[in-house]
């Protein structure tokens, strides 16, 4: 049996069907390197072998999502904690080692070596049940939204090929009545034959608000095109099917939004998070998922830095004072603060005043929104630290 080491570093190249783990010692020598099936018994067996190699094992993985969920949960259950080594870092570090071949075994070795040389990687926390539920729900919602965008783009493309006037007449991403119209009528001739009064009645029967206005707009588009284009009948069937799918998808989104809201509001700090203007339950849920353990942020600057809202210098030669967006940050967390800032500055109040102040200082729209997002990160961190909800009047002023 080989000598037991004081420390070892285990790098895991994670995958859906299997992982590859490599373990190195203080000198970088490989102690263990094997393929591990992504099932509980195989992971536990490998875990036992690796833990026997050293008194203390430092774990690192290149994926912190669903592919490594079982692995990370089993590590946590055995008192082991892993850090996340981004794929970009692994690719760059690969050039520092001999050979050009790319294999799972080599990637796992590079991950282990990178973790051995660096101690600044983010620790991966296995989420509690509530955070795990919100992570699944928000990820599923993001998939549905992406599907909806794809379907609408496809619908507009097909409709443009046979009835461009009707394609221009409505914003199909937000106009439910227009989608309902397309489930029954997709060609100029069909709309003209129906007529305004009967089309209005047809739409009203299906719960369309402003049915007369929708019918009038559709009829105006139909009058503008008297020519039937090739492929019109087949295109009409495709458009009708896409419209029905989008409406069904909208119903699914409503249900999942309700589920996310109900789940988010069981979080002990939900009321505080949602009290910040522009931060509704959906963005609040995404914040919980993206931020992780809020106790991990020592101050507001750490939270803002994690969201990529704190610029870093990129000096070179005589060029100094060049500040740029950092390369390592949570894009999801940045999106939460950016979207909430953009929503909040649309209404009168301190957020809009701050945005207009930055625009007056010469900032472009995106720069001003990012500056507002940075400010709001500090506000939210302070609210969570103090356990109080947001008010437009500062606490000291209120006490006075």
């Amino acid at each position: 049996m080989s000598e037991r080491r004081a420390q070892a570093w285990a790098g895991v190249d994670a995958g859906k069907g299997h992982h590859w783990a490599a373990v190195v010692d203080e000198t970088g020598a490989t102690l263990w390197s094997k393929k591990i099936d992504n099932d509980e018994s195989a992971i536990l067996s490998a875990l036992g072998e690796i833990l026997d190699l050293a008194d203390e094992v430092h774990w690192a993985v290149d994926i912190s999502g669903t592919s490594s969920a079982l692995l990370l949960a089993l590590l946590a259950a055995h008192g082991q904690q892993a850090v996340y080594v981004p794929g970009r870092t692994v690719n760059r570090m690969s050039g520092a080692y001999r050979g050009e071949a790319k294999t799972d075994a080599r990637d796992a070795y590079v991950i282990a070596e990178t973790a051995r040389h660096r101690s600044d990687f983010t620790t991966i926390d296995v989420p509690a049940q509530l955070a795990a539920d919100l992570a699944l729900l928000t990820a599923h919602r993001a998939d549905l939204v992406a599907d909806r965008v794809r379907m609408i783009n496809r619908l507009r493309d097909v409709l443009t090929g046979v009835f461009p006037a009707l394609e221009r007449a409505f914003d199909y991403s937000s106009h439910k009545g227009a989608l309902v119209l397309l489930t029954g009528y997709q060609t100029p001739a069909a709309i003209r034959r129906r007529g305004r009064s009967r089309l209005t009645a047809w739409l009203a029967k299906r719960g369309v608000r402003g049915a007369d206005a929708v019918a009038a707009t559709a009829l105006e588009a139909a009058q503008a095109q008297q020519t039937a284009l090739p492929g019109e009948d087949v295109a009409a069937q495709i458009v009708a099917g896409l419209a029905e799918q989008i409406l069904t998808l909208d119903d699914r989104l409503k249900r999942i939004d309700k589920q996310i809201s109900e789940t988010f509001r069981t979080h002990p700090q939900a009321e505080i998070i949602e009290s910040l203007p522009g931060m509704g339950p959906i963005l609040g849920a995404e914040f919980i998922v993206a931020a992780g353990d809020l106790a991990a942020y020592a101050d507001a600057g750490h939270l803002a830095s994690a969201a990529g809202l704190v610029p870093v210098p990129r000096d070179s030669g005589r060029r100094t004072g060049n500040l740029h967006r950092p390369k390592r940050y949570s894009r999801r967390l940045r999106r939460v603060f950016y979207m909430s800032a953009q929503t909040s500055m649309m209404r009168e109040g301190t957020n809009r005043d701050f945005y207009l102040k930055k625009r007056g200082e010469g900032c472009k729209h995106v720069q001003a929104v990012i500056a507002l997002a940075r400010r709001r990160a500090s506000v939210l961190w302070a609210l969570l630290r103090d356990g109080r909800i947001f008010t437009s009047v500062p606490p000291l002023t209120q006490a006075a």
Side-chain angles (χ1 to χ4, degrees), residues 273 283-292 294 303 333 336-337 380 384:
I273 296 169
L283 283 178
E286 291 189 7
F287 170 75
I288 294 296
V289 173
L294 300 176
L303 178 59
L333 191 57
V336 168
F337 281 115
L380 182 56
L384 293 170

Side-chain angles (χ1 to χ4, degrees), residues 58-366:
H58 305 277
W59 297 84
V61 300
D62 65 339
I63 295 177
S64 60
T66 54
S67 298
S68 59
L70 178 59
L71 169 68
L72 294 172
L74 291 173
L75 286 175
H78 287 76
Q80 305 294 303
Q81 204 163 38
V83 298
Y84 169 59
V85 180
R88 179 187 295 177
T89 302
V90 177
N91 290 336
R92 288 179 177 174
M93 288 294 292
S94 294
Y97 297 92
R98 184 175 57 188
E100 297 183 5
K102 187 183 185 311
T103 63
D104 292 346
R106 187 171 188 272
D107 285 346
Y109 172 79
V110 172
I111 293 168
E113 274 287 271
T114 303
R116 182 172 73 89
H117 287 291
R118 289 177 53 176
S119 59
D120 60 334
F121 291 113
T122 303
T123 300
I124 302 173
D125 294 317
V126 177
Q129 186 62 47
L130 176 60
D133 290 345
L134 289 174
L136 289 171
L137 289 170
T138 53
H140 183 51
R141 184 183 189 277
D143 288 340
L144 293 180
V145 170
D147 289 343
R148 187 179 191 277
V149 171
R150 179 184 58 80
M151 285 188 210
I152 288 175
N153 289 338
R154 179 59 179 153
L155 181 146
R156 298 190 78 109
D157 182 61
V158 176
L159 193 58
T160 298
V162 293
F163 198 171
L166 187 61
E167 188 277 330
R168 294 191 303 268
F170 298 104
D171 179 4
Y172 295 97
S173 62
S174 59
H175 201 309
K176 180 181 177 181
L179 292 170
V180 173
L181 170 73
L182 291 180
T183 62
Y185 302 93
Q186 311 84 23
T187 64
I191 292 174
R192 286 196 300 269
R193 283 196 302 269
R194 187 73 181 185
R196 179 170 174 173
S197 60
R198 288 197 299 161
L199 188 56
T200 298
W202 185 87
L203 291 168
K205 186 178 179 180
R206 286 156 180 79
V208 174
R209 295 181 180 178
D212 186 61
V214 174
T217 302
L219 192 58
E220 182 180 353
Q223 297 292 359
Q225 181 177 326
Q226 301 293 323
T227 304
L229 299 181
E232 187 178 80
D233 292 339
V234 173
Q237 296 173 15
I238 294 173
V239 166
L242 287 169
E244 290 173 357
Q245 290 179 56
I246 295 168
L247 289 170
T248 301
L249 201 54
D250 286 345
D251 290 336
R252 292 178 64 188
L253 280 167
K254 285 181 181 178
R255 290 196 297 271
I256 199 166
D257 282 354
K258 181 180 179 183
Q259 188 176 1
I260 290 174
S261 298
E262 292 173 349
T263 305
F264 165 69
R265 284 171 179 152
T266 64
H267 191 279
Q269 293 176 305
E271 186 180 4
I272 297 173
I273 296 169
E274 199 173 353
S275 72
L276 188 69
M279 188 75 83
I282 304 301
L283 283 178
E286 291 189 7
F287 170 75
I288 294 296
V289 173
D293 183 7
L294 300 176
Y297 304 100
D299 53 39
H302 280 77
L303 178 59
S305 180
L309 299 173
V310 179
V312 295
R314 299 259 179 88
D315 297 341
S316 177
R318 296 181 180 179
R319 299 176 62 187
T320 60
N322 294 309
L323 299 176
H324 297 268
R325 181 194 301 179
K327 290 186 177 180
R328 288 191 296 163
Y329 62 92
S330 169
R331 281 152 180 79
R332 191 171 189 180
L333 191 57
R334 181 184 176 89
R335 178 185 173 277
V336 168
F337 281 115
Y338 187 90
M339 294 299 293
S340 67
Q342 183 146 275
T343 301
S344 69
M345 67 88 179
M346 293 178 182
R347 298 180 179 179
E348 296 294 333
T350 55
N351 289 285
R352 182 165 181 80
D353 292 343
F354 183 85
Y355 167 81
L356 293 175
K357 175 187 173 184
K358 288 298 178 182
R359 290 305 303 270
E361 293 173 357
C363 291
K364 295 180 180 178
H365 169 71
V366 172

